[in-house]
Amino acid sequence: MASTANAFTVGDYVVYPKHGVGRVVELQREEIAGMQLELYVLRFEKERMTLRVPVNKVEAIGMRKLSSDKTLKQAMETLKGKPKVKRTMWSRRAQEYEAKINSGDLVSIAEVTRDLFRPEDQPEQSYSERQIFEAASSRLARELAAMEETDEPTALGKILDVLREHAPQYYENAAEEG
């Protein structure tokens, strides 16, 4: 049986690594193939999706409660850091970014958001870079919104403010070095 440390109750916000922040809307008992299963019913408002997760699979999937304040603080600090852009092929970087987003780890998602952020005065991003940036920043904003009991647009604004405040120094330095 799942450990009590991972027990969620109806109304809890949870993070499902591949889909982001959802809410436990119901606990169900179902008989499937002659076995009694306990299921968490999760609702993801943004995607208009409902997911049923067997209680005994929670740990294997990596489903977790919202991040701690310490982790949130670490993620926000990560946004202030210097963007790391590897010189590998875009397809490989895109895979790495997707893996970080789907890990459900808030700090990794913040890294992707920081690394793909472009201030308004910088060259335009490719379509796929923009898509991954939006996926990462949205995932980060949804968890921040749930933790601060606000909405996603407000949380996203807060994230973009941090990026806009700290990114210019790195881009100015890059222009001087180039």
Side-chain angles (χ1 to χ4, degrees), residues 1 15 36 55 64 76 97 113 156-157 163 166 175 177:
M1 221 50 208
V15 177
Q36 279 293 326
V55 171
R64 62 173 174 78
M76 296 307 277
Y97 290 145
T113 304
L156 184 59
L163 290 167
H166 293 276
E177 292 166 10

Side-chain angles (χ1 to χ4, degrees), residues 111-143:
E111 287 172 10
V112 175
T113 304
R114 174 199 66 204
D115 294 350
L116 289 177
F117 174 74
R118 291 286 173 281
E120 282 80 19
D121 61 351
Q122 290 299 307
E124 195 60 32
Q125 285 177 307
S126 72
Y127 177 75
S128 54
E129 276 183 310
R130 185 98 199 124
Q131 291 295 103
I132 294 175
F133 170 76
E134 286 176 2
S137 59
S138 171
R139 190 73 62 88
L140 186 59
R142 278 187 274 167
E143 189 158 354

